[in-house]
Amino acid sequence: MNPYVLTTLLSSLGLGTTLTFASSHWLLAWMGLEINTLAIIPLMAQHHHPRAVEATTKYFLIQATAAAVILFAGTANAWATGEWSMANMSGPVATTMVLAALSLKVGLAPMHFWMPEVLQGLDLLTGLVLSTWQKLAPFALIIQTSQAFDPLLLTALGLTSTLIGGWGGLNQTQLRKVLAYSSIAHMGWMIIVLQYAPHLTFLALLMYILMTSAAFLTLKLSYATKIGTLATTWSKAPLLTATAALVFLSLGGLPPLTGFMPKWLILQELAKQGLPFTATIMALAALISLYFYLRLCYSMTLIISPNTAASTTPWRTQTTQVSTPLALFTMMALGLLPITPAVTALLI
């Protein structure tokens, strides 16, 4: 892609997200979301592959639908209250519509069906942007309007997302689909604690972005898109394979890695709020997710020939890819648990 075009698109992505962050007005927030969507469409379709074009079309239709519902809800709210402010939500119809539309945008279950299919059609770098940066603007709106939502609805969305994210990833062999279901499960963790401690939602989103970035960049460096390909990476880059396995375990929330931090704090908060049953279901759902991460780790580190005869061992050529961002994200995805008190003190 032409560097000037790429710079314009990335600047528009940043502008759309910043506009949504800064707005307390429904029309401005909607404009930010639309700029965001329109900026990522060319990035998704840049390879002119039928799968990429199909994924782009699906994504555009889903995001356009969600944006239309947000605009309709904002207009209905303005009609009822006489102002476009997000702080003053009128009634249950407008708030439920906003929550449904924002859930569709970030891929919360049961509005998650587009996410694995779209992510599967993209290359790893665009998939990374879709899984991380594109979640920021809708989540900013969800956090801003969280007090207007029905607590029972938020809890139902959170539990459904963590369970479906865990179950859906069990039978997958495509790594991008595994990461899509991982994203759905993490969204559930963020949404369930939103009504009690919004700062923990922000912390979970931040840690999810760090760990997912490390996972996507690792797969990009090793040119892996299927579980079968992972089995041959150890012969080419043993150290990368070891850190990749740890990153996947961190995504699963295994102590003493960074991924344990948000899960631990969220379960603690749910127990404090007198919801031990909800906390138990969430912890069990995290175990289901951990199983498919363990599958990936097993494929990467414990399978050797002749079991991998179906996969071609890659040539040990020197890569030209930049590995500095991967090193930074991997360090943060593995080693932030000891500074949990400092991180929580900064956020509260």
Side-chain angles (χ1 to χ4, degrees):
M1 186 180 274
N2 186 310
Y4 297 116
V5 175
L6 185 62
T7 306
T8 307
L9 292 173
L10 292 177
S11 305
S12 301
L13 265 181
L15 173 69
T17 306
T18 311
L19 193 61
T20 308
F21 276 175
S23 61
S24 57
H25 188 287
W26 276 118
L27 208 54
L28 272 176
W30 173 79
M31 279 173 60
L33 292 171
E34 284 298 281
I35 292 169
N36 227 347
T37 303
L38 292 173
I40 201 173
I41 294 292
L43 292 173
M44 293 169 76
Q46 64 181 317
H47 294 293
H48 306 296
H49 190 277
R51 273 191 191 159
V53 175
E54 183 191 336
T56 308
T57 310
K58 284 178 181 172
Y59 182 75
F60 174 72
L61 291 172
I62 291 289
Q63 297 298 311
T65 306
V69 174
I70 288 171
L71 188 60
F72 182 70
T75 310
N77 186 56
W79 183 271
T81 61
E83 57 179 338
W84 284 89
S85 171
M86 289 180 199
N88 189 11
M89 294 297 286
S90 60
V93 177
T95 50
T96 308
M97 282 173 68
V98 166
L99 183 58
L102 292 172
S103 301
L104 185 61
K105 269 198 169 291
V106 295
L108 269 168
M111 281 78 78
H112 67 286
F113 295 101
W114 62 272
M115 182 85 183
E117 300 303 321
V118 167
L119 209 56
Q120 179 58 28
L122 304 178
D123 68 302
L124 289 165
L125 212 53
T126 318
L128 168 61
V129 175
L130 187 75
S131 301
T132 55
W133 186 263
Q134 291 298 93
K135 304 279 193 231
L136 292 176
F139 250 98
L141 295 182
I142 289 173
I143 290 171
Q144 261 185 288
T145 51
S146 61
Q147 298 312 310
F149 298 141
D150 180 13
L152 194 63
L153 190 58
L154 288 175
T155 306
L157 277 173
L159 286 172
T160 313
S161 294
T162 43
L163 288 166
I164 285 179
W167 282 111
L170 289 180
N171 206 25
Q172 300 300 331
T173 55
Q174 298 286 341
L175 296 175
R176 283 166 292 188
K177 281 194 175 179
V178 167
L179 287 168
Y181 281 109
S182 157
S183 170
I184 293 162
H186 278 90
M187 293 297 122
W189 280 91
M190 292 169 214
I191 212 82
I192 201 155
V193 79
L194 179 63
Q195 56 203 318
Y196 309 115
H199 65 277
L200 287 184
T201 298
F202 179 69
L203 173 69
L205 181 61
L206 196 64
M207 294 304 143
Y208 161 75
I209 287 172
L210 291 179
M211 294 181 294
T212 305
S213 301
F216 268 103
L217 291 171
T218 303
L219 298 178
K220 183 176 176 291
L221 201 69
S222 52
Y223 300 103
T225 53
K226 295 193 288 288
I227 289 185
T229 320
L230 281 181
T232 61
T233 52
W234 64 269
S235 62
K236 185 181 178 185
L239 190 60
L240 182 69
T241 307
T243 55
L246 290 173
V247 165
F248 285 127
L249 291 177
S250 184
L251 267 168
L254 206 66
L257 304 167
T258 303
F260 180 59
M261 182 203 298
K263 288 186 169 61
W264 171 31
L265 293 172
I266 288 168
L267 289 176
Q268 192 179 14
E269 184 63 35
L270 289 173
K272 266 189 211 169
Q273 297 293 338
L275 298 164
F277 184 64
T278 308
T280 307
I281 296 174
M282 293 296 285
L284 291 173
L287 286 179
I288 302 171
S289 296
L290 187 61
Y291 173 76
F292 64 73
Y293 294 120
L294 282 170
R295 260 182 79 210
L296 298 183
C297 295
Y298 175 76
S299 300
M300 291 184 82
T301 56
L302 295 173
I303 290 183
I304 55 169
S305 295
N307 297 344
T308 58
S311 302
T312 312
T313 306
W315 288 97
R316 295 196 188 193
T317 48
Q318 282 295 320
T319 181
T320 54
Q321 296 185 63
V322 180
S323 57
T324 312
L326 171 60
L328 286 171
F329 281 120
T330 302
M331 278 174 59
M332 288 190 281
L334 300 184
L336 291 186
L337 187 65
I339 61 163
T340 303
V343 172
T344 48
L346 278 171
L347 288 172
I348 294 172

